[in-house]
Amino acid sequence: MTFAPLHVPPPHPPARVGRIVAVTGACAVILIDPDDGTSQHRTPEIGTLLRVDTPRSISLCMVSALSSPMPSHAQDEQELRIIEVEFFGELQKDEAGNPLSFRRGISAYPSLGDILFRASKEELAKAYACDSESAVTVGHIAQEPSIPAMVKIDDMLGKHFAILGTTGTGKSCTVALLLRRILEKNPRAHVLLLDVHREYAHAFKDMAEVIGPGNMNLPFWLLNFEEIVEIVIGQQPNREPDIEVLRELIPLAKARYMNNQRRDRSALQRQRDPVEPGAIGVDTPVPYRTSDLIGLIEEHLGKLDLRGELAPYKRLKARLESISRDSRYGFMFGSLTVHDTMSQVLARLFRIPVNGKPIAILELGGLPSEIVNVVVSVLARLAFDFGVWSTGQIPITFVCEEAHRYVPVDKSLGFEPTKRAISRIAKEGRKYGISLCIVSQRPAELDATILSQCSTIFSMRLANERDQQILRAGISDAAGSLLEFMSTMGTGEAITFGEGVALPTRIKFDALPAEQWPKSNTASFTQSWAREMPGEGFLNEIVMRWRAQSFTPETTGPDLLPAGPLPPAAVDHPPPPLSPGFPTLRRPSGAVPGTQAQPPGTAGTRQPGEPQQSLASLIRQFRS
Ligand SMILES: Nc1ncnc2c1ncn2[C@@H]1O[C@H](COP(=O)(O)OP(=O)(O)OP(=O)(O)O)[C@@H](O)[C@H]1O
Ligand SMILES: [Mg+2]
């Protein structure tokens, strides 16, 4: 039996565009062929990829400008039309002339008279393809919907990335889409997302550990000196004397806590302590109690008699007592006992172990801005220090929504330690596996250094001229011409360039199904206003939340610690007096949060709830 030969349709002849009439470096000018009315294609637009054959390769270029130097005045008169292009890479050819893999850079430059064609689908697919092992598809390229837009995970995360765009252009949806695609491929990832508007829990559901003020425990003793100064003293004028007092007393309170802990432990156990009480500095991340700090202040107050000298001590004591009682600070100062929970805090924040939830969402909505500033500073610092002391063994991605709030270009705005902590990740985080994702509506209000460290940019619609200029300043001509679309793109579209993508391109992100959207829908005024008003209970509930500064019905939720037995607590021995004969003025135990006594003998023992040994040993290194 014989078979009739299969009919293979002939390949489409490549669509000719024109010929090169000028070349300068990697740029060329093309005179477009006269329109004879037979071409199915419109004139290429900005961003279109064109090709030109050279003996060993196919050189690819991108349209960066179009013009008609001598426009015709009569309908039947042909006019000169030119295209400016920039060459950026080439496809190697096999012996039959078929395109092989794409590489950036040009080895054989095109010359005058060379003919340019539109790149075929196959050539586009090769040019935009990424190694599928470490890349994910997030949408398609605008030029050709059948060509997937891919991002290279390692290149994008390794050297930071930014998502920029005016409000409502789809930044949060893009964050959700990118992270979801990355997490689906890497279920054992470690992502920490700062969620200012409480939008992302809805997008990630079971994949996320959602931490909010109601169930967060970020002990105050993890704050460094600048951060604790911001909370306890703030930005008041003439604050130097208060700062000096705090600088002197915090190491003493830390040493006092440690001495109390060591009292019940053997000499051998004490030898394993990473740091001696005498060597504790103001920023050594070891626990201490507010009661000890207040006790030390009272001891000093008993010694001093000059009015002026007393004032800073009195102010600090009053402020410490007031924030210890303030429910808004409950997640920092509210714990009745002080435990050394650093391993547990890191385990929960950085998802170690992952336990099926590779992303931790920090809901910061509803917190006063000075607290948010401090929390972001602590988290960014912890992430960076964790990277340093873990020698980058556990890469972490730190996603910072509304980044212009934390790293503003204006030196007088923002909180200096937060700026420093985020800048540090931007500048040095790569070496320690800590990557940054910056999300902002206003690139012009973002610290330029941070943006310059982001090697992949997703620029969504940006209407403001200053914002556009910031982006234009940082990229090459061909990609720069793509930015012309910045003010006209639709929602869910972006100009993408940098190391995380094969080529600068305009992409259309995949549509996220509604159940995976961040909860950030644009309000429908007409629908809402058409509904019956809820009863008065509704308003009461809002007022209750407002007063309790909590979105949950109960203001104190579960602890940040994972379920299981608590680690060793502080033993509340009477603190030793500062000097012989000096009166010990100590509050009764439990009067201020952070003071509750634990049965002696429980200090220093490792508990089953404590995470991996490696994390604990890392913390020992960190402290020493
Ligand atoms: N990839 C997408 N899939 C589905 N819907 C999208 C996508 N991108 C954007 N949208 C739509 O656009 C709306 C606004 O998107 P989004 O909340 O992400 O904007 P935004 O840029 O983060 O705004 P803001 O700066 O105010 O936070 C979404 O509610 C959704 O309806
Ligand atoms: Mg958003």
Side-chain angles (χ1 to χ4, degrees), residues 168 170-173 197 199-200 401-402 439 441 520:
K171 296 182 299 301
S172 301
C173 286
H197 301 296
E199 342 174 57
Y200 287 97
E401 263 268 6
E402 306 283 2
V439 184
Q441 303 175 348
S520 64

Side-chain angles (χ1 to χ4, degrees), residues 138 163-175 177 197 199-200 401-402 439-441 460 491-493 508-514 517-522:
V138 294
I163 300 172
L164 311 166
T166 313
T167 180
T169 47
K171 296 182 299 301
S172 301
C173 286
T174 303
V175 171
L177 175 74
H197 301 296
E199 342 174 57
Y200 287 97
E401 263 268 6
E402 306 283 2
V439 184
S440 175
Q441 303 175 348
M460 314 200 70
T491 302
E493 280 189 53
K508 175 96 185 116
F509 289 108
D510 287 341
L512 265 182
W517 285 0
K519 242 192 174 149
S520 64
N521 300 358
T522 312

Side-chain angles (χ1 to χ4, degrees), residues 345-381:
V345 170
L346 296 181
R348 190 173 180 205
L349 288 174
F350 302 138
R351 313 307 308 135
I352 307 167
V354 174
N355 286 339
K357 295 182 173 183
I359 175 165
I361 297 177
L362 253 291
E363 291 193 337
L364 303 172
L367 285 174
S369 65
E370 75 272 16
I371 304 183
V372 172
N373 275 338
V374 170
V375 170
V376 176
S377 168
V378 179
L379 296 177
R381 197 169 45 75

